[in-house]
Amino acid sequence: MNPIRLGYLYGFGAYLLWGFFPLYLKLLRPAGPVEILAHRIVWSVVFVALLLAAMRNIGFLRALARRPRTLAAIVVAAALIAVNWGTYIYGVNSDRVVETALGYFINPLVVVLIGVFVLRERLRPAQWAALGVGAAAVVVLTVDYGRLPYLALTLAFSFAGYGLVKKRLGLPAAEGLFVESAVLALPALAYLGWLARRGESTFGHVSLGHTLLLVLAGAATAVPLLLFAGAANRLPLSGLGMLQYLAPILQLGCGVLIFHEPMPPARLAGFALVWVALIVFTVDAVRHTRRTRAAARTPVPVTAAGR
């Protein structure tokens, strides 16, 4: 199969799974958000360890152990993804799927913001315009909710920060997820043990199906990440950037159409502003990519002095 076509299949698979993930999380009730997070971490370690063993790729740990700065960055990445996962689980199971979808809609704008303040990047006028419209959207939604949409902002900033750390680390998807989950596994296991000792664990006490769903949380976490890695290795950034909006669109659909969460006019207006900002941002990114490619293909004239 053509690598580009295969990349799009991987990308659609990843974002479809992420888009319908709220349906899966709802099935994990009556487990609480922290218990679900702990199981997600523990079973991710087990799933990815089996995968790496099948690939005979466990040896990378020895090389990683000799890189303390990389290990420190992995700890930061693990903390950020734990905040992201925990916030998302809490949002879904407290019937705020719409607000979690908002977090992933505004994530690209937060990435640009981090580029300005952390990486000292210079923005094009259209990018500034997109950020301005995005800020107006947050103001409108704050008025609608009567508070800052803190779940959405936490999701957007934690995932953007995670992406920044991961970009600098450059670890493959499976290896990175294994080490990040392993860093979190001990506190996760300690929490699950504490719950069991208090008689408050749902694992093995609700039904066989519920127990199996908690175990499968590891695969449900790892599979879309691996598909995403396959897409990222085959697609141009512009193609991958367009796909990233599929997941929050599906999450929003789940919240409004399946879980019947409210969408009053003011909230809809806030989302509309976010979508306007994303359209401006995406169109500018596509145009900039095309101009850059065209400039790269244009032959540079050779002057007499340069011959």
Side-chain angles (χ1 to χ4, degrees), residues 52-269:
L52 291 174
M55 296 165 56
R56 299 182 179 180
N57 198 21
I58 296 294
F60 81 96
L61 289 171
R62 288 192 294 271
L64 195 60
R66 296 191 291 268
R67 297 161 59 189
R69 294 182 67 177
T70 300
L71 288 173
I74 289 172
V75 171
V76 174
L80 287 168
I81 201 60
V83 169
N84 184 269
W85 287 354
T87 303
Y88 186 74
I89 294 166
Y90 171 76
V92 170
N93 282 347
S94 60
D95 301 320
R96 291 156 72 178
V97 175
V98 169
E99 190 174 346
T100 64
L102 173 65
Y104 291 108
F105 274 124
I106 65 176
N107 175 254
L109 302 176
V110 172
V111 170
V112 172
L113 201 62
I114 287 178
V116 173
F117 290 102
V118 177
L119 303 179
R120 304 298 179 187
E121 294 177 353
R122 297 182 64 181
L123 298 188
R124 297 182 294 276
Q127 290 176 310
W128 280 116
L131 284 177
V133 176
V138 172
V139 171
V140 170
L141 290 165
T142 298
V143 173
D144 173 65
Y145 281 114
R147 55 170 173 76
L148 271 174
Y150 62 88
L151 283 184
L153 293 173
T154 301
L155 287 170
F157 276 94
S158 60
F159 199 69
Y162 174 73
L164 175 64
V165 176
K166 291 283 283 185
K167 183 177 177 64
R168 290 184 168 179
L169 282 172
L171 289 176
E175 288 84 342
L177 178 61
F178 175 78
V179 179
E180 291 156 15
S181 300
V183 166
L184 301 168
L186 281 179
L189 283 169
Y191 178 77
L192 292 175
W194 178 77
L195 275 185
R197 192 165 56 249
R198 289 172 57 93
E200 297 177 3
S201 173
T202 64
F203 187 77
H205 297 288
V206 177
S207 67
L208 176 61
H210 181 265
T211 301
L212 289 175
L213 285 171
L214 284 173
V215 172
L216 290 172
T221 298
V223 169
L225 282 172
L226 296 174
L227 289 173
F228 175 78
N233 290 335
R234 292 168 174 83
L235 294 180
L237 284 177
S238 56
L240 200 60
M242 295 298 291
L243 283 177
Q244 72 179 330
Y245 302 128
L246 177 60
I249 288 171
L250 292 174
Q251 291 165 5
L252 179 63
C254 287
V256 176
L257 301 176
I258 298 177
F259 303 132
H260 305 293
E261 294 184 15
M263 180 62 83
R267 192 166 306 169
L268 185 59

